[in-house]
Each structure stands twice: as C-alpha cells, then as structure tokens.
Amino acid sequence: MYISLRNLLVNRLHKGTIVWKLIESIQGIFFVINYYVYYRIGKNASSIRELNIELVSYCNLRCVMCSLDHEKPKQRMAPETLNKILSNIHTDRRFKSLEVINLHNAGEALLHPEIISMLEIISKYKKNAVQNQKPFPKVFLLTNGIPLSKEKAASILELNVIDKMRFSMDGGTPAKFEAMRTRAKWEVFSNNIKTFISLNNQSNGRRIRTEIISVIEPDRSLHTHWMDEDFKKILSSVDEYELRHPHDWAGEVDIKLNRKKDKPHKIGCGLLMHQLVVLPNGDVTVCCADLNSRGVVGNILEKDLFSIYRSKKRLEWIKSHLKKKKNTIDLCKDCETH
C-alpha cells in the first residue's frame, strides 16, 4: 500500500505559496506545449489521456460534498452506445495515447442492471486488442461500495476486465462516513469492501489492483493518525489510497474558499486538455468536474468521438484557457480544479 505523490504534495502545500505557484507555472507550460502539439501542428492526434464512461446518471447516495442534481432524468447507457464508444477508440489510431477508461462519473456504475453484460462488452474489445497485439487502455471502476454484493464482486473478478477497483470511503470514522455519505451504512460498506478484498486476494486469476479515495473535512489533516482503527485497517488493506479535501465541482459546491472576484487564472486546465466524459445518453462533456452536463460538446450517437474532440466549442474553450480567460466560460469560471 502507498500514498500517492499528489496526496503528499496537497497535504504539504497551500495555494499561494511559492512552490505551488511554481507548480501552476509548470502546468501552464505543459498546457501550451500540448496546445501546439495537438491543436496547431499535429491535428490528427488526440491529447486525450482519460475517457470517463458514465454507465448510469444516478446514485443511491446523497453525499453532502457532491453537486449531482438528483432531480434530473435517470438514464442508463445502452449496450449499443457502449459498443460505439469502444469501437471509436479501438479503431481510430488518433486515440492511441488514451491511457485510462474510467467507468464512472457522477452516477454509481454498479447500479446499472446489466453491469456484468456491459463489462463483458469491454472484455470483448480488450481481448481483441490483445489478440491483435494492440494496446488497450487500463480500465478503472470507482464505486461507493454499497451495491457491491458478494455475487457481483465474484462476477467482476471472474471477468478479469477491471485493472483497478476504486472505492469512495470518506470521513475518517464510521460516524463521519455516514454523516458525509448520506444513505450509506458503514457496516454494509465495510463488509462489502472486506469481502471484495478477500475474494480478490484468493483469486486464481489476475488480481485486481485496489485503491481508496477518501475525502476528509477541510479542518482535518490529510493523514491517518486521528482516524478510527477500523477505518485505518481498511485503508491498509488496499494497494493504495488518496486522502483529499473536498473540491467545488466546477463551482457548484461551496467549500468555503476565500476567492477573489475576477482573480487572474493560471494558464490552462489539465482536465480540459486530457479528458472527455461520455454520458449514458451519448452526450460528451469536457471533464469529470461537470456532474450536471453543463459542458456538453457533442453526442457520440451523432458524430464520431474525434469530431467531438475537435468541436468548435471545445477548441474555443481550450483557447480561452490558453489566454487566461476561463472566466468567459460558464462551466469553468468558478472552478478551482487543476
């Protein structure tokens, strides 16, 4: 088990420090380089490194730090839509730099009634890539753990298509976990996670790598010293974990930041440059911070993914970030994500 480098940096640095400003400057330089490499010189390649595929738009929890609008229509991705997405990235060499497929965004993926069938579709493309000696992106699945029954866990392990299973486990103590993740029960969650880890460790096939992402309240330090013993025990049972403070989901959640109005913004945004999200109805939005479809730039059922990636609206937003004018974009203007 290890703690990510990003976690260590965030734990020790604060925005406004010289080192943090240096990191932002370096990020800006890379954004400019990527812009010229992928949008001015090499227009037949993609800068996308991560593709989020949201299998369902809804969630069983009502987490206090989440911006998901639970009143919007509930949607599930159809097998045909998933096939079209995977066919796009599998056959289009312009997406050869794609590294990760995340099977999540705002909704809880394991609530899809045909989740195993959807994973079987991904498995088919992954096996085809291996047989043809072609690379295939790593497949990550993030879950809140509540719908992860023993039967579902066994089926996921048997399919051998997920490369990393990620769990959301917030708060630091069982009581705080239930307070932050409304509708979740610590006993159900901890039993499900322990069962999955046990089955995973006993698996005769390829073991799935495991990770926990844990959101901690802003007044708590990002370390485990103060945490409940059972909480720490689960953290120590996975391959890696990341402790983080809440973020503002593109300005939709108030996390009590002292922001100056119209403050200048650093050049660029790594999410905008390197990520796309496909929603259950085929809509494509620009990043994972957009939980409520405010940044839709096309639909996979109407256009191929590369055309959406090169869409006029997305290119305009890239240029606005290049010029430090993110305040002109409704989705981005209040976002503190880097």
Side-chain angles (χ1 to χ4, degrees):
M1 179 275 299
Y2 74 91
I3 308 174
S4 69
L5 176 61
R6 176 188 181 280
N7 191 79
L8 291 173
L9 288 173
V10 171
N11 192 23
R12 287 163 173 75
L13 299 177
H14 299 282
K15 293 178 182 179
T17 63
I18 294 176
V19 177
W20 188 271
K21 289 180 178 179
L22 177 61
I23 290 173
E24 286 191 334
S25 297
I26 294 171
Q27 289 175 332
I29 292 170
F30 277 108
F31 187 90
V32 173
I33 292 172
N34 277 291
Y35 173 74
Y36 279 95
V37 168
Y38 292 102
Y39 298 90
R40 294 296 299 272
I41 301 170
K43 297 182 180 180
N44 286 317
S46 161
S47 65
I48 301 302
R49 299 290 179 270
E50 283 191 309
L51 180 68
N52 283 25
I53 300 177
E54 184 178 69
L55 298 179
V56 300
S57 65
Y58 49 91
C59 185
N60 52 314
L61 304 186
R62 299 293 184 269
C63 300
V64 297
M65 62 287 184
C66 179
S67 70
L68 178 62
D69 178 7
H70 295 283
E71 299 301 318
K72 68 180 183 179
K74 292 178 170 57
Q75 298 175 330
R76 302 167 181 165
M77 183 171 286
E80 295 78 15
T81 305
L82 181 59
N83 267 302
K84 183 156 188 185
I85 299 166
L86 296 172
S87 177
N88 262 229
I89 63 175
H90 181 62
T91 59
D92 193 335
R93 288 287 297 161
R94 293 172 294 188
F95 285 104
K96 65 182 180 180
S97 296
L98 181 65
E99 298 171 355
V100 175
I101 294 174
N102 291 307
L103 298 179
H104 58 80
N105 198 54
E108 167 54 54
L110 296 186
L111 293 180
H112 197 294
E114 300 174 54
I115 180 62
I116 302 304
S117 297
M118 300 296 271
L119 293 179
E120 286 173 345
I121 292 172
I122 300 172
S123 179
K124 178 185 70 175
Y125 282 91
K126 192 171 187 177
K127 288 177 180 177
N128 184 272
V130 171
Q131 289 170 0
N132 289 283
Q133 297 183 323
K134 292 182 179 180
F136 193 84
K138 297 289 185 183
V139 181
F140 295 172
L141 193 153
L142 174 65
T143 175
N144 61 46
I146 302 301
L148 185 60
S149 63
K150 183 176 182 179
E151 294 73 23
K152 202 169 285 185
S155 296
I156 290 171
L157 290 166
E158 185 178 355
L159 266 176
N160 199 24
V161 66
I162 302 297
D163 294 288
K164 183 187 287 188
M165 198 75 169
R166 308 167 84 195
F167 308 100
S168 295
M169 188 179 81
D170 303 328
T173 69
K176 187 57 67 176
F177 171 87
E178 292 185 356
M180 293 177 69
R181 304 191 70 77
T182 307
R183 296 189 180 182
K185 297 300 179 184
W186 173 255
E187 185 177 358
V188 174
F189 171 85
S190 59
N191 285 340
N192 287 351
I193 300 311
K194 290 172 183 176
T195 297
F196 181 88
I197 291 171
S198 176
L199 291 173
N200 190 29
N201 291 336
Q202 296 169 24
S203 175
N204 293 324
R206 180 181 58 87
R207 183 181 170 280
I208 294 177
R209 192 165 182 82
T210 53
E211 178 184 13
I212 284 175
I213 297 174
S214 187
V215 176
I216 305 301
E217 291 184 318
D219 60 345
R220 286 287 194 175
S221 298
L222 295 177
H223 58 68
T224 62
H225 305 325
W226 56 270
M227 292 183 180
D228 174 84
E229 287 304 315
D230 197 26
F231 204 95
K232 290 193 287 187
K233 185 176 180 180
I234 294 179
L235 284 178
S236 67
S237 69
V238 296
D239 295 304
E240 57 188 288
Y241 65 82
E242 179 180 335
L243 309 180
R244 60 169 71 161
H245 286 141
H247 63 84
D248 66 353
W249 294 110
E252 291 194 332
V253 174
D254 183 8
I255 54 174
K256 310 300 181 185
L257 291 172
N258 295 318
R259 286 193 290 240
K260 295 180 180 179
K261 290 185 177 180
D262 302 320
K263 71 171 185 178
H265 185 255
K266 70 180 181 71
I267 293 176
C269 170
L271 295 181
L272 180 62
M273 177 63 70
H274 297 303
Q275 192 178 71
L276 284 175
V277 180
V278 187
L279 305 177
N281 66 350
D283 280 346
V284 179
T285 185
V286 293
C287 78
C288 63
D290 179 22
L291 298 192
N292 294 307
S293 313
R294 294 160 56 201
V296 173
V297 291
N299 188 291
I300 192 71
L301 301 178
E302 299 169 0
K303 292 183 178 180
D304 66 272
L305 193 60
F306 193 81
S307 295
I308 297 171
Y309 159 80
R310 295 282 308 184
S311 65
K312 181 179 179 181
K313 181 188 287 189
R314 186 172 176 278
L315 293 179
E316 287 176 350
W317 288 358
I318 291 277
K319 291 175 183 177
S320 294
H321 275 264
L322 190 71
K323 298 173 183 177
K324 291 188 174 183
K325 293 183 177 180
K326 78 160 190 170
N327 289 342
T328 63
I329 307 169
D330 185 57
L331 173 66
C332 305
K333 63 183 180 181
D334 295 319
C335 184
E336 289 291 326
T337 303
H338 293 269

